[in-house]
Amino acid sequence: MARATTHHVCSACGHESAKWHGRCPGCEEWGTLVEEAKPVAAATGVRGGGGKSSGRALAPVPLGQVEAPRVARLRTGIGELDRVLGGGLVPGSLVLLGGSPGIGKSTIVTSALGNLVARGQSALYVSGEESAAQVRLRAERLGPAALAVPIVAETDLEAVVATIEAERPDVCVVDSVQVLHAGGLTGAPGSVGQVREVAGRLMRVAKTYGIAIVLVGHVTKEGALAGPRVLEHLVDCVLSFEGERERTYRTLRALKNRFGSTNEAGVFEMRDEGLVEVEDASARFVAEATNGSPGSAILCAMEGSRPLLVEVQALVAPTELVPPRRMANGIDRNRLALVLAVLTRHAGISVGNADVFVSVAGGVRIDEPGADLAIALAIASATKGVPLGSNDRPLAAFGEIGLTGELRHVAHPDRRLAEARKFGLERVLHPGSGPATVGAALKSALAAPSAVRAA
Ligand code: TYD
Ligand code: MG
């Protein structure tokens, strides 16, 4: 019998087994065994030879003497994408672009490759999910530059690697990593073993030839990069494309970046002609805000290192439902639960018999504790039916709320205040502006507008 070239390894305890088991014989966890290619044993390896290695000893070099040539980054021509990448794609790097289906991953990579080709770089688009004809139809909407991108539609890893080695492009996109199939493994495409093998092979190709490779990966609704999550340690850069398919705004964040900061985020809008960068996102959101109606507050948020003004809206409606509904759009459900509990206990705002809906306008997702105060203000304003500001003097806010109802400082207050001032928001309620508790903040915000101290 031919020797098997794969084995199964438990992702929890590392137990190795020739056969697949539903439950790991080592640690008894369920569903943790993953098929992997067996490492090729070195033919001349000395085993147990008294601890003496057969390898050649290397000469360590002080870091200061290590040669690090400054490689020119490949600019994708999409300003927001380049900024999130830390200045463009680094040759020889492996980038994972994750996001839920339909968010616009294929669109952004097609535009980026089009721009690179227009600037004289060589590119290759490997489409595993869509036929070449389907990708062409998309490219037609994106303009003439995108139509110049060379494409192959293929799912066999060996064929893809052979094509990349023959073409040696500067940049290659693999859309998506979950549909490529490594012949040596029996697991279905997209399974953990397959995805790991595919990414490992492509990484070696990227490093060997200095090709920047972008792997597109789908994320499930629960947020797990099913498959791709196991790649995070392997790749140089993990980008996450977020937003809701039904809404037009999308944010692009770096979750990991070996060549830049992970604090950057870019905002895009999906239009008929593809993704358009939104550089003045604050202006857009402030202009669209419904100042002057109850339940609306402007939040000075931070999107990475960049301040962003967004509108937080709340609706509080009486209900017979037990338990009442709690809906959060663009903020974490657990944060909403916490803010509601603090409002009930420490600010006398009771919503026990009401449905509460909170949403960040425009489909932006805000994941930072600095949003608490604006959420609390919007809910209190909706409950009491009292607007937080008037059309010409809207109220903005930021700050974290502690479990005892105290207001807590958050990062970059100066940048948030500067952004608010830039857009003519003079009234900003925040932990440094006076009130020490959420109760005091509500009192001053829901009182006459002039009672709030200008920041
Ligand atoms: P797509 O890039 O295919 O998403 P993904 O690769 O992440 O699954 O595009 C997603 C959606 O964007 C699709 O529903 C159609 C829409 N779209 C536009 O609105 N305008 C455009 O110019 C393009 C190309 C797509
Ligand atoms: Mg796609």
Side-chain angles (χ1 to χ4, degrees), residues 328-333 335-336 358 360 364-367 371 375:
N329 241 327
I331 59 161
D332 182 30
R333 274 185 66 98
R335 281 226 90 80
L336 172 61
V358 175
V360 179
V364 186
R365 203 177 159 77
I366 302 293
D367 263 327
I375 297 171

Side-chain angles (χ1 to χ4, degrees), residues 106 129-130 138 175 218:
S106 304
E129 287 187 355
E130 295 168 298
R138 176 186 295 110
D175 188 1
H218 291 295

Side-chain angles (χ1 to χ4, degrees), residues 197-402:
E197 178 69 15
V198 167
R201 269 305 287 285
L202 290 173
M203 183 184 68
R204 289 195 289 279
V205 174
K207 304 278 176 241
T208 310
Y209 301 107
I211 303 170
I213 298 188
V214 179
L215 303 174
V216 173
H218 291 295
V219 184
T220 55
K221 194 74 186 160
E222 292 70 45
L225 278 134
R229 183 113 257 172
V230 301
L231 303 181
E232 285 187 358
H233 68 281
L234 184 95
V235 299
D236 299 305
C237 181
V238 180
L239 302 185
S240 170
F241 214 176
E242 296 161 9
E244 283 157 57
R245 196 163 21 175
E246 307 76 32
R247 313 281 201 88
T248 55
Y249 292 111
R250 313 269 195 266
T251 42
L252 182 72
R253 285 170 215 277
L255 304 182
K256 163 180 174 178
N257 194 349
R258 285 188 181 145
F259 311 114
S261 150
T262 49
N263 278 332
E264 293 302 336
V267 181
F268 293 90
E269 185 182 0
M270 182 58 97
R271 297 231 197 109
D272 282 346
E273 68 277 12
L275 285 161
V276 181
E277 303 162 47
V278 183
E279 278 155 18
D280 53 345
S282 289
R284 196 77 72 86
F285 295 136
V286 169
E288 288 170 4
T290 50
N291 305 318
S293 31
S296 160
I298 291 181
L299 162 67
C300 307
M302 292 299 292
E303 271 286 342
S305 63
R306 196 167 55 155
L308 179 68
L309 301 175
V310 291
E311 182 191 8
V312 177
Q313 294 186 334
L315 174 67
V316 177
T319 182
E320 305 284 309
L321 276 181
V322 180
R325 254 183 297 214
R326 304 288 180 245
M327 291 266 287
N329 241 327
I331 59 161
D332 182 30
R333 274 185 66 98
N334 294 327
R335 281 226 90 80
L336 172 61
L338 185 143
V339 170
L340 285 174
V342 171
L343 280 177
T344 309
R345 282 297 277 141
H346 300 292
I349 306 270
S350 170
V351 289
N353 299 323
D355 288 338
V356 178
F357 304 87
V358 175
S359 143
V360 179
V364 186
R365 203 177 159 77
I366 302 293
D367 263 327
E368 60 142 354
D372 291 357
L373 182 56
I375 297 171
L377 287 172
I379 294 171
S381 153
T383 310
K384 303 209 168 218
V386 179
L388 289 167
S390 56
N391 236 336
D392 43 334
R393 273 177 71 78
L395 178 72
F398 65 88
E400 183 179 355
I401 297 178

